[in-house]
Amino acid sequence: MWYTKYLEAYEKAFDEVRDDLYPEIRQRLERLQSDKPVVTVSVIAYNEERHLTACLWSLSEQVSKYPMEIIGVDNESKDYTAEIYKRCGVPYYTETRHSCGWARLCGLSNARGRYHLNIDSDTMYPPHYVEMMVDMLEKEDTVGVSSLWSYIPDEQHPVWGLKIYEFCRDVYIWLQHFKRPELSVRGLVFGYKTDLAQQVGIRTDIIRGEDGYLAFQLKEYGKLRFLRNRKARAITGYGTVGADGGLWQSFWLRVKKYTNGFWSMFKRQDKYEDRADNLVG
């Protein structure tokens, strides 16, 4: 359970985290920062003081043969998010336009590495995550790579329930990726070639789906690959699963949704229509 130690700071307010942890994280991050990065790791955050410290702590213990830079994007948070970036010594940019799209675009625009890895601040990453993602990106004709993720077990989400949920989800994503890889990509575990992504851009006019749309654009230039090694599996909070009312309710909602469109996953789609309820403004 590589992430257990980081739970000390997960779901903790800024003033609940022990003060001596920040110099420790800062020192490790400084050793990782390169002036000539092969890969840029950009962390986006909006009011994430309860998660950001644990995320940066996990990134500070990355083991990689590739030079990297780690940067942050503060989406104009109202809490201690910016202060945590400062305490950990992470150079960060303030993006005043609010959305995942704008935050990811800010990170991409300031990336110096040949590759760019999206990082969500409510997520923790295993020690060889960056290296394994870049290994895949180095493969011939590869333009993007997406890994898998798990959820943190707790009293409301037992380990056995999560294993069933994640197994079914992972199988569906695997089946879907053959013809519609853009729908199998998730932003919290997505990496790609920086120059191509800067060329096609990240959509900022949609509420959700900016990661899939970017993947949809990128696949015209090469292959989207999927990293299924458990050593590259991130772990995160509940996000939309929690918003749906709990694990099993979320599970059955998704079963219903995906069953209705099951056969469509075996057909390539060359165009997607925007939904009015997903457009900003």
Side-chain angles (χ1 to χ4, degrees):
M1 304 292 281
W2 58 267
Y3 63 87
T4 304
K5 62 185 289 186
Y6 308 128
L7 295 180
E8 175 192 336
Y10 199 81
E11 285 290 359
K12 297 290 194 303
F14 176 68
D15 58 3
E16 294 176 323
V17 177
R18 55 184 171 89
D19 288 339
D20 62 340
L21 180 59
Y22 290 108
E24 179 184 324
I25 296 172
R26 184 186 187 107
Q27 188 175 51
R28 288 192 177 123
L29 286 172
E30 285 176 348
R31 286 201 295 264
L32 290 175
Q33 299 283 23
S34 171
D35 290 331
K36 296 180 179 179
V38 169
V39 55
T40 296
V41 179
S42 69
V43 186
I44 63 169
Y46 174 65
N47 291 343
E48 288 285 4
E49 71 164 287
R50 303 185 71 88
H51 304 125
L52 181 57
T53 301
C55 174
L56 295 177
W57 189 0
S58 72
L59 292 177
S60 76
E61 297 189 327
Q62 289 296 302
V63 178
S64 175
K65 59 181 176 284
Y66 300 104
M68 72 177 78
E69 66 169 349
I70 300 173
I71 62 174
V73 177
D74 174 25
N75 210 182
E76 202 178 34
S77 301
K78 308 304 180 187
D79 63 3
Y80 284 97
T81 292
E83 182 61 28
I84 292 171
Y85 279 135
K86 293 175 186 175
R87 288 285 186 97
C88 293
V90 175
Y92 72 96
Y93 305 87
T94 302
E95 175 54 67
T96 58
R97 294 161 293 191
H98 293 179
S99 77
C100 282
W102 282 116
R104 293 203 196 285
L105 181 59
C106 179
L108 175 61
S109 299
N110 289 284
R112 294 182 297 159
R114 185 160 72 246
Y115 305 114
H116 182 242
L117 299 187
N118 291 340
I119 298 291
D120 281 5
S121 49
D122 63 350
T123 304
M124 295 168 283
Y125 296 83
H128 291 278
Y129 176 80
V130 172
E131 183 174 72
M132 294 178 76
M133 290 287 281
V134 177
D135 279 345
M136 290 287 281
L137 284 164
E138 290 270 83
K139 291 181 180 293
E140 187 177 0
D141 296 331
T142 302
V143 293
V145 173
S146 187
S147 185
L148 291 172
W149 71 101
S150 293
Y151 298 104
I152 304 169
D154 58 23
E155 292 181 1
Q156 288 75 41
H157 306 90
V159 172
W160 63 269
L162 288 174
K163 285 187 179 297
I164 294 171
Y165 180 92
E166 290 166 7
F167 174 78
C168 294
R169 180 206 62 200
D170 293 350
V171 168
Y172 188 90
I173 287 175
W174 176 73
L175 290 172
Q176 187 173 240
H177 94 276
F178 290 104
K179 293 295 184 180
R180 298 192 182 185
E182 65 274 8
L183 297 183
S184 294
V185 163
R186 296 297 184 275
L188 77 165
V189 284
F190 191 28
Y192 38 81
K193 287 189 173 180
T194 303
D195 58 347
L196 280 179
Q198 289 173 340
Q199 178 181 323
V200 302
I202 294 177
R203 287 189 65 176
T204 58
D205 60 332
I206 50 179
I207 298 170
R208 67 190 69 83
E210 79 289 336
D211 44 6
Y213 193 83
L214 174 59
F216 180 66
Q217 298 292 99
L218 288 175
K219 76 174 187 178
E220 298 304 315
Y221 297 90
K223 294 178 181 178
L224 293 172
R225 297 185 185 273
F226 291 84
L227 179 56
R228 305 190 186 282
N229 192 315
R230 291 197 65 85
K231 291 183 179 180
R233 183 181 286 255
I235 189 155
T236 190
Y238 290 92
T240 55
V241 173
D244 287 336
L247 182 64
W248 292 112
Q249 187 170 348
S250 176
F251 177 79
W252 291 115
L253 283 172
R254 282 160 171 76
V255 167
K256 182 178 179 180
K257 174 184 175 183
Y258 296 143
T259 300
N260 290 337
F262 182 77
W263 294 110
S264 65
M265 80 165 80
F266 299 109
K267 298 178 182 178
R268 176 185 170 95
Q269 187 153 335
D270 296 318
K271 184 179 181 181
Y272 291 89
E273 298 292 338
D274 289 330
R275 294 202 322 263
D277 63 352
N278 194 38
L279 294 173
V280 175

